[in-house]
Amino acid sequence: MSSTFHCKVNASRPRTISVIVSIGTFLISSELLVFRSLNHFLDGFTHGMGTLVQRATVVVDVVSAASKLIPHPAAANTHFQWDWKDSQELKADQSLRNAKLTEHQRDAIAEQLRPMVADLGFEFESESELRKAARDTRIKMIDLNGDGVPEVVAQGMIGCGATGNCPFWVLRKAKQRYELILDGEAQTFTIQKSSSNGFRDIVLSRHGSYSSGDLSHYQFHEGAYQKMGCYAYDWTVLEGEKVRDLKEPHITPCNQRKNVRVLRSPTYHSASIARFRDMMIP
């Protein structure tokens, strides 16, 4: 009996060992398979992250390079200087109809001015009245880029404020017609000594009180004049209870001065303009 049981035990041991070995082999193979899959996943993830980082770096480089090509008003404001002694104001007798131009030039300029005058909010009774208003627009021919072909500096005679601030445009000759390259508002304008992309910088001055107002600084970029800065100017300073006149205007960026506004009360019109003109004399 004992011998028989011993034989059975001895016979079952190889089977048990075989089962254990099989199970161990299966477990090891499974772990190796899982490890290989995880390793493959990690390699793919690392490669994907590397590609993503490279693409992000390229995007950052492109955005950084592009930002350097775009003009920033803040940078332009840092070096702003108003050549106020060169300020000009167009007179009523400097109308398009009185300009020393050929009839073809006059017609081409009037054709461009017509829709701009029509957009000023004035109700014209007829087309002929609109065309007359276009030809009454004050103009001056000024070569702004030195190419020998003068640009048209124009100022409307309607749509003006009580202190003389009127619609202001600059037109550039393009083949047989003229195109708009600056649209603003001004009482006086200054062709600056400085230039941008071959065109002289322009400062438009809007009159406020008898001794203050605001300035708009324009530079030529991408085919047209763009506003690069806004400033407030003052020709007086308050010292205690007395107001002292200045020999040079005090200029402050608009975002650093509070409550700056352009006055439009008729009571300031003639006196304020005369006062401003007197101070413009060097």
Side-chain angles (χ1 to χ4, degrees), residues 238-249:
L238 183 63
E239 295 179 342
E241 297 182 355
K242 295 183 178 181
V243 176
R244 179 172 64 86
D245 291 339
L246 300 175
K247 294 182 179 180
E248 294 281 341

Side-chain angles (χ1 to χ4, degrees), residues 197-215:
N197 297 303
F199 281 75
R200 299 278 291 277
D201 296 347
I202 296 176
V203 173
L204 302 186
S205 171
R206 295 197 311 162
H207 194 62
S209 68
Y210 79 96
S211 62
S212 65
D214 61 61
L215 307 171

Side-chain angles (χ1 to χ4, degrees), residues 11 29 40 52 89 94 138 140 178-179 184 191 202 215-216 218-219 260 263 266 268 275:
S29 299
H40 179 72
L52 181 62
E89 183 176 2
Q94 292 178 278
R138 293 162 283 183
K140 185 174 183 178
Y178 285 84
E179 60 182 8
I191 306 301
I202 296 176
L215 307 171
S216 296
Y218 288 85
Q219 292 182 331
V260 176
L263 300 178
Y268 283 90
R275 169 72 171 170

Side-chain angles (χ1 to χ4, degrees), residues 53-260:
V53 171
Q54 289 178 350
R55 290 178 178 176
T57 302
V58 171
V59 171
V60 171
D61 291 342
V62 170
V63 172
S64 177
S67 65
K68 295 178 181 179
L69 300 177
I70 300 174
H72 297 283
N77 293 348
T78 305
H79 306 290
F80 174 74
Q81 182 177 354
W82 180 28
D83 299 333
W84 62 271
K85 292 183 180 180
D86 296 326
S87 292
Q88 305 178 52
E89 183 176 2
L90 298 180
K91 309 297 182 183
D93 60 358
Q94 292 178 278
S95 65
L96 173 60
R97 68 176 67 257
N98 294 332
K100 295 181 179 180
L101 300 170
T102 66
E103 195 59 32
H104 176 74
Q105 289 175 315
R106 191 176 288 106
D107 289 343
I109 295 172
E111 186 64 25
Q112 177 61 49
L113 290 173
R114 178 189 166 281
M116 292 151 53
V117 173
D119 289 340
L120 295 177
F122 184 83
E123 294 185 6
F124 295 97
E125 296 181 357
S126 63
E127 178 65 23
S128 61
E129 186 178 9
L130 173 58
R131 293 187 178 278
K132 178 181 181 301
R135 288 180 177 264
D136 286 339
T137 300
R138 293 162 283 183
I139 73 162
K140 185 174 183 178
M141 307 299 289
I142 302 176
D143 189 356
L144 297 172
N145 62 352
D147 65 352
V149 180
E151 279 66 46
V152 181
V153 175
Q155 198 169 28
M157 294 191 70
I158 61 174
C160 303
T163 57
N165 304 314
C166 298
F168 186 93
W169 306 292
V170 176
L171 310 178
R172 180 185 186 184
K173 195 173 191 313
K175 296 182 179 180
Q176 301 302 315
R177 56 186 294 274
Y178 285 84
E179 60 182 8
L180 179 67
I181 59 174
L182 190 155
D183 185 0
E185 183 182 274
Q187 179 191 344
T188 65
F189 67 95
T190 307
I191 306 301
Q192 297 278 103
K193 296 181 176 65
S194 57
S195 299
S196 302
N197 297 303
F199 281 75
R200 299 278 291 277
D201 296 347
I202 296 176
V203 173
L204 302 186
S205 171
R206 295 197 311 162
H207 194 62
S209 68
Y210 79 96
S211 62
S212 65
D214 61 61
L215 307 171
S216 296
H217 181 208
Y218 288 85
Q219 292 182 331
F220 193 83
H221 293 286
E222 299 180 354
Y225 276 96
Q226 299 181 18
K227 187 175 179 178
M228 303 301 294
C230 171
Y231 304 87
Y233 69 83
D234 286 284
W235 283 96
T236 61
V237 62
L238 183 63
E239 295 179 342
E241 297 182 355
K242 295 183 178 181
V243 176
R244 179 172 64 86
D245 291 339
L246 300 175
K247 294 182 179 180
E248 294 281 341
H250 177 70
I251 298 175
T252 309
C254 290
N255 59 4
Q256 295 181 19
R257 181 176 177 180
K258 299 180 180 179
N259 301 322
V260 176

